[in-house]
C-alpha cells in the first residue's frame, strides 16, 4: 500500500453536523482522550484548538503587520478531524522540524507530521514526552516549503 493509499479514517460529512456537534465531537475525540504519538509523546488537546484548527481566513496573503483572521469554518479541515490522532500514531508519517514565525527560524519544539503528500499535523513539544496540538490542515499551498524544512531527527 502506497503512502497516499494508506487509510486513516473516513472523511466526515461536515454538512451532516451542526457546528456545536462538531465541537462536541472534537471534545470527545481529542480533549477527553489520552493520545500519544507513535514515539511516546503525549499530546494534549484543548477546546480552544478547535477554532485555530478548523477555521481559516477569508483573506489570503494579507499584510504581515495585521493579525490574521480566522473567520470561515473550513469543511475541508473538518472532514479530516478524525485523521489527526491516526497521523500522530503513524510511524511512517514524514516528520519535519516546525517553523517558529515569532523567531523566523526552525524550532525543535515544533514537529510537523505529513501524510498523503500534503496533510500536516503540527504539535509543539513543551516538556519531555509532552506536547500540545497546534493545528492540522491540507497544506496544498505550502507543502513544498514545509518539505524543505529539516527532517525531524528525534
Amino acid at each position: 500500500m502506497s503512502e497516499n493509499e494508506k487509510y486513516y479514517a473516513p472523511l466526515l460529512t461536515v454538512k451532516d453536523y451542526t457546528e456545536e456537534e462538531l465541537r462536541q465531537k472534537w471534545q470527545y475525540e481529542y480533549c477527553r482522550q489520552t493520545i500519544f504519538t507513535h514515539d511516546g509523546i503525549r499530546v494534549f488537546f484543548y477546546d480552544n484548538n478547535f477554532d485555530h484548527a478548523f477555521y481559516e481566513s477569508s483573506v489570503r496573503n494579507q499584510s504581515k503587520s495585521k493579525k490574521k483572521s480566522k473567520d470561515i469554518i473550513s469543511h475541508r479541515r473538518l472532514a479530516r478531524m478524525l485523521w489527526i490522532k491516526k497521523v500522530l500514531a503513524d510511524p511512517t508519517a514524514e516528520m519535519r522540524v516546525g517553523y517558529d514565525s515569532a523567531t523566523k527560524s526552525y524550532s525543535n519544539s515544533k514537529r510537523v507530521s505529513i501524510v498523503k503528500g500534503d496533510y500536516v499535523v503540527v504539535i509543539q513539544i513543551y516538556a519531555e514526552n509532552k506536547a500540545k496540538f497546534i493545528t492540522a490542515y491540507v497544506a496544498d499551498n505550502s507543502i513544498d516549503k514545509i518539505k524543505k524544512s529539516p527532517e525531524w531527527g528525534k
Side-chain angles (χ1 to χ4, degrees):
M1 177 182 306
S2 81
E3 211 285 320
N4 283 337
E5 294 170 346
K6 189 164 189 167
Y7 181 77
Y8 286 96
L11 293 176
L12 290 177
T13 306
V14 178
K15 66 179 178 57
D16 292 347
Y17 297 91
T18 65
E19 183 177 340
E20 183 57 34
E21 289 170 331
L22 289 162
R23 287 180 182 277
Q24 289 172 0
K25 182 174 272 306
W26 171 256
Q27 290 167 356
Y28 176 77
E29 294 287 343
Y30 291 98
C31 302
R32 296 182 186 155
Q33 304 297 324
T34 303
I35 296 171
F36 287 89
T37 64
H38 64 91
D39 55 350
I41 299 170
R42 175 149 184 219
V43 182
F44 293 86
F45 294 80
Y46 302 97
D47 291 345
N48 65 0
N49 292 137
F50 185 92
D51 291 340
H52 185 68
F54 302 117
Y55 275 78
E56 53 193 9
S57 177
S58 60
V59 182
R60 301 295 298 160
N61 302 319
Q62 57 193 7
S63 168
K64 299 213 187 287
S65 63
K66 292 182 182 176
K67 184 175 167 92
K68 292 187 179 182
S69 68
K70 292 254 190 164
D71 56 347
I72 297 176
I73 197 158
S74 173
H75 287 231
R76 189 174 190 199
R77 290 180 177 207
L78 281 162
R80 292 160 179 79
M81 179 193 297
L82 298 178
W83 288 16
I84 296 167
K85 57 187 164 187
K86 307 272 189 191
V87 172
L88 292 171
D90 184 354
T92 67
E94 180 180 351
M95 290 187 292
R96 298 291 177 163
V97 175
Y99 188 77
D100 185 335
S101 58
T103 63
K104 296 186 179 0
S105 64
Y106 294 104
S107 171
N108 284 323
S109 70
K110 289 189 178 178
R111 181 163 90 180
V112 181
S113 298
I114 306 166
V115 299
K116 295 196 172 284
D118 64 358
Y119 183 71
V120 301
V121 176
V122 183
I123 61 172
Q124 182 163 16
I125 300 166
Y126 64 86
E128 188 172 346
N129 293 323
K130 289 184 180 178
K132 68 178 182 175
F133 169 78
I134 301 296
T135 195
Y137 58 98
V138 177
D140 49 1
N141 294 326
S142 58
I143 195 62
D144 291 337
K145 190 173 185 179
I146 292 168
K147 287 187 173 187
K148 288 179 183 170
S149 68
E151 287 185 26
W152 182 262
K154 272 196 161 180

